[in-house]
Amino acid sequence: MATVSGLTWQRLRDLELSELTDAADGWRAASAFADAARERVDGDMSGKLTKTQDSESARAAVKRLKRLSENYHYVRTETGLVRGALDGLASELGTPQRRLRDALGDAASLGYAVNDNGSIDYPAGGKNEMTGDTIPGGSVMGNNGLIGAGNPGLYRDANGMLDPALGPGGPVLKSPNPHRAKAQDVADRLAHALREAREIDERYSSALNKLKAAQGLTVDTKTWADVASDADAVSQAAHNYLEKHLPLDKSPAERKEWWDHLGKEQREEYISAFPELIGNLDGIPALARDEANRENLQLLIGQLDVKHDDASRDMLGGLKKIQEKLEQGSEPPMYLLGIGDEGNGRAIIAYGNPDTADNVSAYVPGLGTKLDAEFADGTVNRAWQTAIGAQEADPSSRTSSIVWLGYDAPQVTPGDLASGNSVMFTNDAKAGAPDYNAFMEGISATHEGGDPHVTAIGHSYGSLTVGLAAQENGGIPGADDIILVGSPGTGADNAQDLNVGKDHVFVGAADNDIVTKLPNHAEASGMASGAVGGGSTGFVLGAGMAGPPGALIGGGAGAIVGGIAGYTAQDAQTDPSERWFGTDPASENFGATRFMVDDGATIIEDHGEMSAHSNYFNPMKDQDSADNIAKIVVGKSGKISLETPR
């Protein structure tokens, strides 16, 4: 059973909440000192040493300075959590304290005595209708609201009369003393305020008690796992405080306005104490999100480093790779606009600050994408390649190129696609589309220059997510152009449905990219039926000619032949522009502008791989496609090279 807080109504009445906020300010100063010290170590000391010295002793010194930097990082994080918890505690206790003081004020004005145990003494009043005598006073206790504690609100007064019905059972008599009901109201309010304050006190005490460092501090992976646990505890304790003070249910524009009205110290507190919220809140400026997410990245690594399941190890690999990229630096500079461990992982990474860029592109990856090492090494690089291409296409403008993994993309193997047995449905895209639009609305809200040129890019299944987002009411916020590459369909029949005008929808589809040629559902059904029938026939014939080995070979060959036959038969009855998710975006019927891309290798030439599906952003593999994407991103779509629609 949880221990009962020792907080009394007298202590709550006399509590100076300013002492808690003063203490929070002291921890803020400690956090700021640790942060400044870490910056000095990283910049003035180890940074300069690395640039000017190249020796064994210099490398050893840099290693020791890195440990010192980690110590300061740890101190900054923990003191920030203490500060956030104290501010939350002071804020939340303010409400029950006001309620208590109001109840005590009413008791004093009515002339009622408040006892140490919270009971209220009330005077005689009214007359007994039978005897004419004055009805004596009594004492009442407030209802503490605890289940199983009897009926503390049901007491006899000095006249032997029962209280109003507060508990189960039949009707009870009401005291005719007019003071009785008023005293009960005061007692109930006092008990309610004290009960609320004790719950708050216990919640924050539990979180604050976790914020302790072991002696002989060594900051390692276990330490950061503990810090992550501490951060979770503080966030859970401060849940009510956060709901009240953070605009979690507001629009990105309203969040930006809220952030703009915060003082510097308030912003620092929210970033240090609640990085997982601030870092992923659309409408918060990019610099603040980046700072918060870098902090949260370290906490997530600590959490996952002590887990040993495959999913956690995969995600840990992705987080560490992202951390490496951030530490190495890049040109354009890298901004971490979102990070999380929900589902298959979340990561939003920008090359170039979207708040100051003239051009902003936000690319949604698809098929098989998740937060792992491959994402950090491959998918993230596509955003960088687009940023570099944009610089070359228009050196006079600034571009921010973003990869947005803010949803769960389907995890499908090439074999699923080649066989026509794709498990892809619209569920993931439907879930991701509103979140993508919220992010894009945030980009518009935080931009400092007014109206950048915005391009929404969808690759593979991500093109369906972008397509569904574009078909929501009002379309994708701020979008001027839409690029679809390697698309199995957008859920739309025509480019005009994407709310940017069909002349602003651009499609890249390699001839050997099988994802762009996924059969429609009827064709896939014919393929599957043909494969089953052909496989059965081939198995029987093979067994008759060559026994069990021949049955296996014949069954496999028959499945292939039957599948092709089934697909062909069904294909003859359907519109050639129909694909898995609607009209083929590369077809003439869709009405978009198709740009030139390399055909890529066939899946047979590629030994079962699908490189033709992955080369669109890579100038080393597909220069035409990369150049065309870059030109569209910087608003020079009139200079792209075109390809005839299918």
Side-chain angles (χ1 to χ4, degrees), residues 233-311:
V234 171
S235 293
Q236 290 173 14
H239 176 75
N240 294 337
Y241 168 77
L242 294 173
E243 282 196 338
K244 180 179 179 181
H245 288 81
L246 268 66
L248 301 177
D249 58 348
K250 301 296 184 181
S251 70
E254 290 170 318
R255 292 169 183 164
K256 175 60 165 55
E257 184 179 2
W258 166 79
W259 185 260
D260 287 344
H261 284 84
L262 293 179
K264 182 175 181 291
E265 292 184 357
Q266 287 177 299
R267 293 176 184 175
E268 290 175 352
E269 175 186 339
Y270 287 131
I271 289 173
S272 61
F274 311 108
E276 76 285 357
L277 290 176
I278 298 301
N280 292 291
L281 204 58
D282 298 320
I284 302 301
L287 290 176
R289 289 183 73 162
D290 178 65
E291 182 181 352
N293 283 315
R294 287 176 189 245
E295 191 70 30
N296 194 36
L297 176 64
Q298 182 65 68
L299 300 182
L300 289 170
I301 289 174
Q303 284 179 319
L304 294 173
D305 220 3
V306 296
K307 297 181 179 180
H308 304 289
D309 59 284
D310 291 342

Side-chain angles (χ1 to χ4, degrees), residues 507-524:
V507 177
D511 279 348
N512 292 320
D513 180 357
I514 63 172
V515 175
T516 71
K517 297 182 178 180
L518 283 177
N520 61 43
H521 292 268
E523 292 166 352

Side-chain angles (χ1 to χ4, degrees), residues 171-197:
V172 294
L173 299 175
K174 179 178 180 180
S175 171
N177 186 328
H179 293 290
R180 171 63 184 77
K182 296 177 182 179
Q184 185 66 62
D185 174 67
V186 171
D188 286 345
R189 288 157 55 202
L190 187 151
H192 174 74
L194 186 58
R195 181 174 71 251
E196 183 181 7

Side-chain angles (χ1 to χ4, degrees), residues 172-244:
V172 294
L173 299 175
K174 179 178 180 180
S175 171
N177 186 328
H179 293 290
R180 171 63 184 77
K182 296 177 182 179
Q184 185 66 62
D185 174 67
V186 171
D188 286 345
R189 288 157 55 202
L190 187 151
H192 174 74
L194 186 58
R195 181 174 71 251
E196 183 181 7
R198 284 176 172 173
E199 186 276 327
I200 294 168
D201 181 46
E202 291 170 9
R203 181 158 32 93
Y204 279 95
S205 294
S206 175
L208 286 165
N209 284 334
K210 289 175 62 64
L211 302 178
K212 297 177 181 178
Q215 290 185 344
L217 175 63
T218 299
V219 179
D220 54 17
T221 54
K222 184 178 182 300
T223 305
W224 284 113
D226 290 338
V227 175
S229 177
D230 294 345
D232 284 344
V234 171
S235 293
Q236 290 173 14
H239 176 75
N240 294 337
Y241 168 77
L242 294 173
E243 282 196 338
K244 180 179 179 181

